[in-house]
């Protein structure tokens, strides 16, 4: 599948099929710029549960909701702190996950019981088109069973996940292979919860002081 965002008719057909699966509560693996993600409708608790089952991941480990655009963020959160706006503007679309206070729309089954929600806007065109077509935020941890390496190729996803998920969108090898940086913006001073592709230096440049989670 092309990664330029100019999809052929056949690619569009696959994307539409995949979006339909997500809308109906199923699982689809797809490329993001970090690793291949295992996607499900983030607003559908039952669909989120399928992710935990397919991965063998404990269900108190919260999922990141992926959005296609800035409009996708608003309904998921009860408040958008100033630093959240700054970091989103600086690093979205890209490997930057932000923690916001969640809205009632987001089920606790997606957030591992937390009253906050992790949101990211990926830059991979396949990922964004899929999320756009699905019309829902897409929860998407790495598409591997727990304990296995995060997949950077569709073949790896197939080897690990075949039979557990409805579809794999093949976007070729993905670039970074490093996870998104996670920053909690619910506090006055942002807190880096997980290091990743966006470095501390880049964060400082965008928002000044940033704490590191002890
Ligand atoms: P990943 O394994 O890349 O899908 O990232 C999931 C990780 O994001 C979780 O294991 C948490 O460390 C982090 N995360 C997701 N949601 C939250 C949240 N609401 N609060 C804090 N950390 C979160
Ligand atoms: Mg992982």
């Amino acid at each position: 599948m092309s990664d330029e965002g100019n999809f052929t008719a056949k690619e569009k057909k696959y994307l539409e099929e995949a979006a339909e699966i997500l809308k109906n509560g199923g699982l689809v693996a797809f490329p993001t710029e970090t690793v291949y993600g295992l996607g499900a409708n983030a607003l559908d608790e039952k669909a989120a549960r399928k992710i935990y089952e397919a991965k063998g991941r404990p269900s108190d480990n919260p999922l990141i909701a992926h959005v296609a655009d800035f409009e996708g963020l608003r309904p998921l959160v009860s408040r958008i702190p100033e630093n959240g706006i700054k970091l989103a503007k600086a690093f979205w679309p890209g490997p930057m996950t932000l923690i916001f206070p969640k809205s009632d729309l987001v089920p606790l089954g997606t957030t591992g019981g937390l009253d906050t929600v992790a949101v990211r806007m990926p830059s991979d065109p396949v990922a964004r088109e899929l999320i756009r077509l699905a019309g829902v935020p897409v929860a998407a941890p790495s598409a591997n069973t727990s304990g296995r390496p995060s997949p950077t190729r569709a073949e790896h996803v197939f080897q690990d996940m075949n039979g557990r998920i409805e579809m794999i969108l093949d976007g070729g090898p993905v670039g970074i292979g490093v996870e998104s940086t996670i920053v909690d913006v619910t506090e006055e001073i942002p807190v880096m919860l997980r290091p990743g592709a966006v470095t501390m230096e880049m964060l400082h440049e965008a928002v000044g002081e940033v704490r590191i989670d002890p």
Side-chain angles (χ1 to χ4, degrees):
M1 190 160 297
S2 113
D3 59 353
E4 250 111 73
N6 310 310
F7 301 110
T8 65
K10 200 171 176 186
E11 288 167 347
K12 278 210 174 115
K13 199 182 111 267
Y14 289 140
L15 278 162
E16 271 156 20
E17 202 180 309
E20 213 48 45
I21 292 171
L22 291 178
K23 280 187 210 169
N24 292 322
L27 301 183
V28 175
F30 62 95
T32 81
E33 72 275 26
T34 54
V35 299
Y36 270 77
L38 179 58
N41 179 355
L43 303 182
D44 179 344
E45 210 150 16
K46 269 197 214 140
R49 204 176 306 140
K50 287 186 194 167
I51 288 184
Y52 291 114
E53 279 163 14
K55 281 181 66 73
R57 170 173 172 149
S59 59
D60 59 355
N61 191 340
L63 303 172
I64 297 171
H66 293 68
V67 297
D69 43 43
F70 282 93
E71 290 85 88
L73 169 66
R74 187 65 258 191
L76 307 183
V77 302
S78 62
R79 189 166 63 84
I80 305 185
E82 183 74 34
N83 283 325
I85 295 172
K86 283 189 190 162
L87 287 169
K89 278 196 176 149
F91 301 111
W92 282 2
M96 168 96 253
T97 297
L98 297 170
I99 310 290
F100 295 97
K102 83 171 192 68
S103 72
D104 291 340
L105 198 62
V106 181
L108 294 170
T110 299
T111 66
L114 299 172
D115 57 7
T116 52
V117 61
V119 187
R120 173 167 112 77
M121 188 194 298
S123 66
D124 186 287
V126 174
R128 292 185 71 185
E129 184 64 4
L130 174 64
I131 299 163
R132 201 184 62 74
L133 288 171
V136 292
V138 177
S142 54
N144 54 278
T145 48
S146 277
R148 303 260 307 162
S150 296
T152 53
R153 289 170 178 272
E155 300 90 275
H156 299 164
V157 179
F158 183 81
Q159 284 157 18
D160 202 12
M161 285 288 174
N162 184 27
R164 296 168 182 258
I165 64 181
E166 272 96 331
M167 188 174 179
I168 301 170
L169 285 175
D170 187 351
V174 293
I176 308 181
V178 174
E179 292 172 304
S180 62
T181 302
I182 302 180
V183 178
D184 185 341
V185 292
T186 61
E187 306 274 329
E188 184 72 25
I189 297 168
V191 183
M192 188 209 253
L193 301 182
R194 178 175 82 184
V198 173
T199 65
M200 196 49 149
E201 201 183 344
M202 291 157 80
L203 294 177
H204 282 317
E205 208 157 293
V207 284
E209 189 183 356
V210 177
R211 290 210 181 101
I212 299 179
D213 185 38

